Each structure stands twice: as C-alpha cells, then as structure tokens.
mmCIF file of all heavy atoms in Angstrom:
data_model
loop_
_atom_site.group_PDB
_atom_site.id
_atom_site.type_symbol
_atom_site.label_atom_id
_atom_site.label_comp_id
_atom_site.label_asym_id
_atom_site.label_seq_id
_atom_site.Cartn_x
_atom_site.Cartn_y
_atom_site.Cartn_z
ATOM 1 N N GLY S 811 -0.518 13.245 16.316
ATOM 2 C CA GLY S 811 0.444 12.149 16.224
ATOM 3 C C GLY S 811 1.001 12.032 14.816
ATOM 4 O O GLY S 811 0.253 11.811 13.862
ATOM 5 N N GLN S 812 2.311 12.154 14.666
ATOM 6 C CA GLN S 812 2.931 12.167 13.339
ATOM 7 C C GLN S 812 3.212 10.744 12.859
ATOM 8 O O GLN S 812 4.338 10.394 12.528
ATOM 9 C CB GLN S 812 4.202 13.008 13.365
ATOM 10 C CG GLN S 812 3.911 14.492 13.499
ATOM 11 C CD GLN S 812 5.177 15.320 13.478
ATOM 12 O OE1 GLN S 812 6.144 15.011 14.157
ATOM 13 N NE2 GLN S 812 5.180 16.373 12.703
ATOM 14 N N ARG S 813 2.165 9.945 12.820
ATOM 15 C CA ARG S 813 2.320 8.580 12.317
ATOM 16 C C ARG S 813 1.058 8.101 11.611
ATOM 17 O O ARG S 813 1.133 7.460 10.590
ATOM 18 C CB ARG S 813 2.697 7.624 13.452
ATOM 19 C CG ARG S 813 1.715 7.614 14.612
ATOM 20 C CD ARG S 813 2.225 6.763 15.770
ATOM 21 N NE ARG S 813 1.235 6.697 16.839
ATOM 22 C CZ ARG S 813 1.099 7.593 17.788
ATOM 23 N NH1 ARG S 813 1.902 8.647 17.801
ATOM 24 N NH2 ARG S 813 0.188 7.465 18.734
ATOM 25 N N GLY S 814 -0.136 8.386 12.152
ATOM 26 C CA GLY S 814 -1.368 7.916 11.538
ATOM 27 C C GLY S 814 -1.663 6.476 11.906
ATOM 28 O O GLY S 814 -0.906 5.819 12.619
ATOM 29 N N SER S 815 -2.770 5.966 11.401
ATOM 30 C CA SER S 815 -3.211 4.614 11.744
ATOM 31 C C SER S 815 -2.785 3.614 10.672
ATOM 32 O O SER S 815 -2.647 3.959 9.496
ATOM 33 C CB SER S 815 -4.734 4.581 11.878
ATOM 34 O OG SER S 815 -5.343 4.912 10.646
ATOM 35 N N PHE S 816 -2.631 2.355 11.083
ATOM 36 C CA PHE S 816 -2.201 1.332 10.137
ATOM 37 C C PHE S 816 -3.247 1.095 9.049
ATOM 38 O O PHE S 816 -2.904 0.756 7.912
ATOM 39 C CB PHE S 816 -1.902 0.018 10.858
ATOM 40 C CG PHE S 816 -1.470 -1.076 9.932
ATOM 41 C CD1 PHE S 816 -0.210 -1.066 9.365
ATOM 42 C CD2 PHE S 816 -2.348 -2.089 9.576
ATOM 43 C CE1 PHE S 816 0.182 -2.050 8.484
ATOM 44 C CE2 PHE S 816 -1.962 -3.080 8.689
ATOM 45 C CZ PHE S 816 -0.693 -3.064 8.144
ATOM 46 N N THR S 817 -4.528 1.247 9.395
ATOM 47 C CA THR S 817 -5.573 1.015 8.391
ATOM 48 C C THR S 817 -5.434 1.966 7.206
ATOM 49 O O THR S 817 -5.765 1.610 6.079
ATOM 50 C CB THR S 817 -6.973 1.173 9.014
ATOM 51 O OG1 THR S 817 -7.052 2.444 9.679
ATOM 52 C CG2 THR S 817 -7.252 0.069 10.018
ATOM 53 N N GLY S 818 -4.920 3.174 7.461
ATOM 54 C CA GLY S 818 -4.692 4.112 6.360
ATOM 55 C C GLY S 818 -3.644 3.610 5.391
ATOM 56 O O GLY S 818 -3.808 3.684 4.164
ATOM 57 N N ILE S 819 -2.555 3.080 5.926
ATOM 58 C CA ILE S 819 -1.497 2.520 5.086
ATOM 59 C C ILE S 819 -2.009 1.306 4.319
ATOM 60 O O ILE S 819 -1.751 1.119 3.124
ATOM 61 C CB ILE S 819 -0.282 2.145 5.957
ATOM 62 C CG1 ILE S 819 0.431 3.412 6.445
ATOM 63 C CG2 ILE S 819 0.690 1.258 5.185
ATOM 64 C CD1 ILE S 819 1.075 4.234 5.366
ATOM 65 N N GLU S 820 -2.744 0.439 5.014
ATOM 66 C CA GLU S 820 -3.282 -0.754 4.375
ATOM 67 C C GLU S 820 -4.192 -0.383 3.207
ATOM 68 O O GLU S 820 -4.109 -0.964 2.112
ATOM 69 C CB GLU S 820 -4.058 -1.567 5.416
ATOM 70 C CG GLU S 820 -4.502 -2.938 4.945
ATOM 71 C CD GLU S 820 -5.191 -3.713 6.047
ATOM 72 O OE1 GLU S 820 -5.975 -3.100 6.802
ATOM 73 O OE2 GLU S 820 -4.960 -4.923 6.158
ATOM 74 N N HIS S 821 -5.045 0.603 3.425
ATOM 75 C CA HIS S 821 -5.967 1.079 2.387
ATOM 76 C C HIS S 821 -5.188 1.629 1.193
ATOM 77 O O HIS S 821 -5.511 1.339 0.032
ATOM 78 C CB HIS S 821 -6.875 2.154 2.993
ATOM 79 C CG HIS S 821 -7.621 2.978 2.005
ATOM 80 N ND1 HIS S 821 -8.822 2.576 1.454
ATOM 81 C CD2 HIS S 821 -7.354 4.182 1.446
ATOM 82 C CE1 HIS S 821 -9.255 3.506 0.611
ATOM 83 N NE2 HIS S 821 -8.381 4.480 0.600
ATOM 84 N N THR S 822 -4.154 2.410 1.473
ATOM 85 C CA THR S 822 -3.376 3.043 0.410
ATOM 86 C C THR S 822 -2.611 2.007 -0.410
ATOM 87 O O THR S 822 -2.612 2.047 -1.649
ATOM 88 C CB THR S 822 -2.398 4.072 1.012
ATOM 89 O OG1 THR S 822 -3.131 5.023 1.778
ATOM 90 C CG2 THR S 822 -1.620 4.779 -0.083
ATOM 91 N N VAL S 823 -1.945 1.086 0.267
ATOM 92 C CA VAL S 823 -1.179 0.058 -0.437
ATOM 93 C C VAL S 823 -2.101 -0.814 -1.289
ATOM 94 O O VAL S 823 -1.777 -1.165 -2.433
ATOM 95 C CB VAL S 823 -0.383 -0.796 0.569
ATOM 96 C CG1 VAL S 823 0.214 -2.018 -0.113
ATOM 97 C CG2 VAL S 823 0.719 0.038 1.208
ATOM 98 N N ALA S 824 -3.273 -1.149 -0.761
ATOM 99 C CA ALA S 824 -4.240 -1.942 -1.530
ATOM 100 C C ALA S 824 -4.649 -1.208 -2.804
ATOM 101 O O ALA S 824 -4.792 -1.823 -3.872
ATOM 102 C CB ALA S 824 -5.465 -2.244 -0.676
ATOM 103 N N ALA S 825 -4.828 0.121 -2.706
ATOM 104 C CA ALA S 825 -5.207 0.916 -3.874
ATOM 105 C C ALA S 825 -4.114 0.909 -4.934
ATOM 106 O O ALA S 825 -4.391 0.773 -6.135
ATOM 107 C CB ALA S 825 -5.510 2.352 -3.441
ATOM 108 N N ILE S 826 -2.873 1.040 -4.496
ATOM 109 C CA ILE S 826 -1.753 1.065 -5.444
ATOM 110 C C ILE S 826 -1.617 -0.285 -6.145
ATOM 111 O O ILE S 826 -1.374 -0.360 -7.363
ATOM 112 C CB ILE S 826 -0.442 1.445 -4.721
ATOM 113 C CG1 ILE S 826 -0.542 2.872 -4.166
ATOM 114 C CG2 ILE S 826 0.744 1.314 -5.666
ATOM 115 C CD1 ILE S 826 -0.847 3.944 -5.194
ATOM 116 N N ILE S 827 -1.803 -1.385 -5.402
ATOM 117 C CA ILE S 827 -1.689 -2.713 -6.011
ATOM 118 C C ILE S 827 -2.842 -2.965 -6.984
ATOM 119 O O ILE S 827 -2.679 -3.669 -7.990
ATOM 120 C CB ILE S 827 -1.629 -3.797 -4.907
ATOM 121 C CG1 ILE S 827 -0.312 -3.650 -4.139
ATOM 122 C CG2 ILE S 827 -1.725 -5.203 -5.507
ATOM 123 C CD1 ILE S 827 -0.203 -4.545 -2.932
ATOM 124 N N GLU S 828 -4.022 -2.392 -6.720
ATOM 125 C CA GLU S 828 -5.125 -2.484 -7.676
ATOM 126 C C GLU S 828 -4.707 -1.899 -9.025
ATOM 127 O O GLU S 828 -5.011 -2.447 -10.086
ATOM 128 C CB GLU S 828 -6.354 -1.741 -7.158
ATOM 129 C CG GLU S 828 -7.098 -2.423 -6.034
ATOM 130 C CD GLU S 828 -7.960 -3.564 -6.522
ATOM 131 O OE1 GLU S 828 -8.087 -3.752 -7.744
ATOM 132 O OE2 GLU S 828 -8.496 -4.294 -5.676
ATOM 133 N N MET S 829 -4.016 -0.767 -8.973
ATOM 134 C CA MET S 829 -3.631 -0.084 -10.207
ATOM 135 C C MET S 829 -2.365 -0.667 -10.824
ATOM 136 O O MET S 829 -2.237 -0.736 -12.047
ATOM 137 C CB MET S 829 -3.431 1.411 -9.927
ATOM 138 C CG MET S 829 -4.699 2.136 -9.521
ATOM 139 S SD MET S 829 -4.489 3.931 -9.451
ATOM 140 C CE MET S 829 -3.443 4.122 -8.023
ATOM 141 N N PHE S 830 -1.423 -1.075 -9.982
ATOM 142 C CA PHE S 830 -0.136 -1.599 -10.445
ATOM 143 C C PHE S 830 0.102 -2.972 -9.804
ATOM 144 O O PHE S 830 0.796 -3.077 -8.782
ATOM 145 C CB PHE S 830 1.003 -0.649 -10.059
ATOM 146 C CG PHE S 830 0.955 0.695 -10.713
ATOM 147 C CD1 PHE S 830 0.277 1.746 -10.116
ATOM 148 C CD2 PHE S 830 1.591 0.918 -11.923
ATOM 149 C CE1 PHE S 830 0.232 2.996 -10.711
ATOM 150 C CE2 PHE S 830 1.561 2.170 -12.528
ATOM 151 C CZ PHE S 830 0.877 3.207 -11.926
ATOM 152 N N PRO S 831 -0.466 -4.022 -10.357
ATOM 153 C CA PRO S 831 -0.302 -5.351 -9.743
ATOM 154 C C PRO S 831 1.153 -5.767 -9.559
ATOM 155 O O PRO S 831 1.467 -6.508 -8.618
ATOM 156 C CB PRO S 831 -1.023 -6.278 -10.720
ATOM 157 C CG PRO S 831 -2.019 -5.403 -11.419
ATOM 158 C CD PRO S 831 -1.366 -4.063 -11.526
ATOM 159 N N ILE S 832 2.048 -5.302 -10.427
ATOM 160 C CA ILE S 832 3.455 -5.717 -10.304
ATOM 161 C C ILE S 832 4.095 -5.191 -9.026
ATOM 162 O O ILE S 832 5.104 -5.734 -8.562
ATOM 163 C CB ILE S 832 4.294 -5.277 -11.526
ATOM 164 C CG1 ILE S 832 4.348 -3.748 -11.647
ATOM 165 C CG2 ILE S 832 3.795 -5.904 -12.800
ATOM 166 C CD1 ILE S 832 5.385 -3.265 -12.645
ATOM 167 N N PHE S 833 3.511 -4.144 -8.429
ATOM 168 C CA PHE S 833 4.100 -3.592 -7.205
ATOM 169 C C PHE S 833 3.795 -4.456 -5.980
ATOM 170 O O PHE S 833 4.295 -4.172 -4.886
ATOM 171 C CB PHE S 833 3.593 -2.161 -6.956
ATOM 172 C CG PHE S 833 4.070 -1.152 -7.969
ATOM 173 C CD1 PHE S 833 3.481 0.103 -8.062
ATOM 174 C CD2 PHE S 833 5.118 -1.450 -8.829
ATOM 175 C CE1 PHE S 833 3.913 1.033 -8.994
ATOM 176 C CE2 PHE S 833 5.562 -0.523 -9.768
ATOM 177 C CZ PHE S 833 4.968 0.720 -9.852
ATOM 178 N N SER S 834 2.989 -5.489 -6.138
ATOM 179 C CA SER S 834 2.659 -6.347 -4.990
ATOM 180 C C SER S 834 3.887 -7.068 -4.446
ATOM 181 O O SER S 834 3.888 -7.512 -3.292
ATOM 182 C CB SER S 834 1.582 -7.363 -5.383
ATOM 183 O OG SER S 834 2.076 -8.242 -6.379
ATOM 184 N N ARG S 835 4.922 -7.175 -5.235
ATOM 185 C CA ARG S 835 6.138 -7.881 -4.817
ATOM 186 C C ARG S 835 7.154 -6.940 -4.170
ATOM 187 O O ARG S 835 8.206 -7.383 -3.693
ATOM 188 C CB ARG S 835 6.780 -8.588 -6.009
ATOM 189 C CG ARG S 835 5.880 -9.639 -6.647
ATOM 190 C CD ARG S 835 6.518 -10.223 -7.901
ATOM 191 N NE ARG S 835 7.764 -10.912 -7.609
ATOM 192 C CZ ARG S 835 7.859 -12.179 -7.235
ATOM 193 N NH1 ARG S 835 6.760 -12.904 -7.091
ATOM 194 N NH2 ARG S 835 9.013 -12.741 -6.998
ATOM 195 N N VAL S 836 6.849 -5.657 -4.156
ATOM 196 C CA VAL S 836 7.789 -4.663 -3.620
ATOM 197 C C VAL S 836 7.588 -4.522 -2.115
ATOM 198 O O VAL S 836 6.461 -4.516 -1.625
ATOM 199 C CB VAL S 836 7.583 -3.307 -4.321
ATOM 200 C CG1 VAL S 836 8.501 -2.242 -3.729
ATOM 201 C CG2 VAL S 836 7.825 -3.447 -5.821
ATOM 202 N N ARG S 837 8.676 -4.388 -1.372
ATOM 203 C CA ARG S 837 8.594 -4.224 0.075
ATOM 204 C C ARG S 837 8.473 -2.748 0.452
ATOM 205 O O ARG S 837 9.096 -1.894 -0.178
ATOM 206 C CB ARG S 837 9.843 -4.794 0.754
ATOM 207 C CG ARG S 837 9.979 -6.299 0.636
ATOM 208 C CD ARG S 837 11.246 -6.755 1.354
ATOM 209 N NE ARG S 837 11.398 -8.205 1.322
ATOM 210 C CZ ARG S 837 11.996 -8.877 0.355
ATOM 211 N NH1 ARG S 837 12.495 -8.225 -0.688
ATOM 212 N NH2 ARG S 837 12.097 -10.187 0.405
#
C-alpha cells in the first residue's frame, strides 16, 4: 500500500517538532 499508517506520520511530525519547535505552526 503506497500510503503507510497514520501513526508513522504522527511519530515523524512529533520528532521534527521536538527538534524545530517553530515548525509546530506549519500545516
């Protein structure tokens, strides 16, 4: 399936916001 699971995206976005808090406001 060429989409993956939502938990993967959630995990990845959480990691990026940990490193770059200013990106939390980006859609």
